[in-house]
Structures are given as structure tokens and as C-alpha cells.
Amino acid sequence: EAQVTQNPRYLITVTGKKLTVTCSQNMNHEYMSWYRQDPGLGLRQIYYSMNVEVTDKGDVPEGYKVSRKEKRNFPLILESPSPNQTSLYFCASSLRQGGNEQFFGPGTRLTVL
Amino acid sequence: GENVEQHPSTLSVQEGDSAVIKCTYSDSASNYFPWYKQELGKRPQLIIDIRSNVGEKKDQRIAVTLNKTAKHFSLHITETQPEDSAVYFCAADESGGQKLVFGQGTRLTINP
């Protein structure tokens, strides 16, 4: 089944404890992206990747890191999480950049205490 | 960069009536305008999209219109049904399609 998966789905952590949210797609998509969703703010892009080893900042990259060592995986890293990073996070992928449907993962609800 | 404004933030309509959600964008170079539907507790899913060389696109009860001169586009849902209740997001591309900028979302409620 073609899909985007994320893990974990739910995470409660404390300030400063490094964490990684994994994202994987099995559709051989070139483009992958991370968004955070907050009430009243819609979906805001954190980072995106147009292909392996090619990543760039979105609109809200502060406090996050990403890597794209393999085409299928695009992990989101929070080196020192803070309470303002409490949010619902979505990974998405599309065949390539520019005018292609983005397929979203199921979401990761993160709470930073 | 691109800025997308979406209105209204909430919309309540009677079942069977029509619903319209409007978005404006700032980047005249934008060429791709998708609409996503997010049901409660679920992931966003594409329901319809339109490209800049087309003024209108329709898929059964859903239609999208685009006015490039005015830089706005709208989602129209006719004969609304309870399963249309969801949050709807518009979006516009930026930087040659490298990024997708979303509107703030509209929570649509269909009253039986």
C-alpha cells in the first residue's frame, strides 16, 4: 500500500530532551516536507527536501533540524525541545516539487512540558 | 514570500445548501492552487486543485475558481452533506513550486 508513515504518533517529553520524529514513504517520491499545525495558524512548513541530500528551510525552521540521507526517509530532529514546539506535526511527500499532490502522514502529536 | 489568507475561519450551512470558501494570495508568480480537506483526527487530503492556466475546475459537487488578476481563488461545495463537515485548507505554491503555503483553514459544519 502506498503510504507515508510517521513515528511516534504521540509523544510527551520534557524541555531540552532531544527527540526524533521519523517519516518514511514508499512511493519513490523526490519531494518531502514537514509541517506543524496549530489552531488558527493552518499548516506551516518547517523544512522541505527536493531530493536526497537537498534540504531547505520553510517558514518556521527555528529549533528544528532535518536530514535526507535516503530517498524514502526524512526525519525531523528537535535538539532541545521547548514548550512552544508543542504541536501537531505532519510529514508529506510528493512525486516532485511544483504542482503535485502532497500525501500526508498520519501526524505526530507532540507535547513538550 | 507568499502569503495566503483564507476566509471565513468557520462556516455553518444547512444540509443541501452551498458553501463557499475564499482565499487570496500575494505572489503573482504562483501557479498551483490545491485544496485539502482534513476530517477530525485525520490527515489532510487533496480534494481538488487548479493551475494558473485554468479559470475553473469542477469535480462532481466540488468546484474551484481562480482569478489570477485579482489573486484570489475559491472553493464551492454544492448540495452539502454531513460528510462534508471538516476543516478545509487552501494553498498556493511559491519559489517555482519548491514550497506550498497554506491558508489558516476553514472549519465547515453541515447542519442536518
Side-chain angles (χ1 to χ4, degrees):
Chain A
E1 179 190 355
Q3 60 182 344
V4 180
T5 56
Q6 292 178 229
N7 282 292
R9 296 289 314 280
Y10 303 90
L11 179 61
I12 300 175
T13 189
V14 296
T15 299
K17 187 176 181 182
K18 180 179 178 180
L19 67 93
T20 299
V21 184
T22 64
C23 172
S24 183
Q25 51 90 9
N26 63 0
M27 297 171 279
N28 201 35
H29 283 173
E30 290 182 356
Y31 184 92
M32 297 187 74
S33 183
W34 276 103
Y35 297 92
R36 60 178 289 174
Q37 183 176 9
D38 302 289
L41 297 177
L43 293 154
R44 293 180 294 166
Q45 192 174 47
I46 303 169
Y47 269 95
Y48 63 96
S49 169
M50 290 186 285
N51 216 322
V52 176
E53 301 292 2
V54 181
T55 63
D56 208 346
K57 295 177 181 178
D59 294 319
V60 288
E62 294 78 19
Y64 305 95
K65 287 174 56 177
V66 293
S67 67
R68 187 91 182 272
K69 294 185 173 60
E70 307 164 280
K71 199 171 188 178
R72 62 183 293 130
N73 296 323
F74 190 45
L76 179 69
I77 303 156
L78 285 71
E79 294 269 3
S80 182
S82 62
N84 64 10
Q85 293 179 298
T86 292
S87 187
L88 178 59
Y89 291 87
F90 286 101
C91 178
S93 73
S94 64
L95 187 60
R96 63 183 66 85
Q97 71 179 74
N100 291 276
E101 176 180 1
Q102 291 202 15
F103 294 86
F104 283 80
T108 294
R109 186 164 292 281
L110 172 66
T111 301
V112 183
L113 302 175
Chain B
E2 176 70 280
N3 182 47
V4 178
E5 297 286 334
Q6 183 173 346
H7 299 280
S9 57
T10 60
L11 180 60
S12 183
V13 301
Q14 288 298 120
E15 183 177 352
D17 288 351
S18 296
V20 180
I21 302 170
K22 299 181 180 181
C23 289
T24 61
Y25 62 98
S26 60
D27 187 356
S28 57
S30 293
N31 287 311
Y32 177 63
F33 307 90
W35 286 89
Y36 284 80
K37 176 183 180 182
Q38 185 181 27
E39 297 177 356
L40 189 62
K42 301 286 183 65
R43 70 193 78 187
Q45 291 188 295
L46 181 74
I47 54 171
I48 195 167
D49 56 15
I50 192 167
R51 298 175 198 279
S52 59
N53 57 348
V54 175
E56 183 173 359
K57 184 177 178 180
K58 192 172 181 181
D59 182 3
Q60 298 182 353
R61 297 185 297 107
I62 293 173
V64 57
T65 58
L66 171 65
N67 183 327
K68 283 221 75 178
T69 303
K71 289 191 280 189
H72 66 71
F73 56 113
S74 301
L75 178 71
H76 305 252
I77 306 174
T78 58
E79 300 172 18
T80 53
Q81 301 168 2
E83 53 264 36
D84 294 329
S85 292
V87 177
Y88 291 81
F89 293 99
C90 64
D93 70 340
E94 179 188 308
S95 304
Q98 292 183 27
K99 294 172 60 177
L100 201 57
V101 179
F102 285 83
Q104 297 85 349
T106 296
R107 181 174 299 279
L108 175 63
T109 302
I110 309 301
N111 302 309

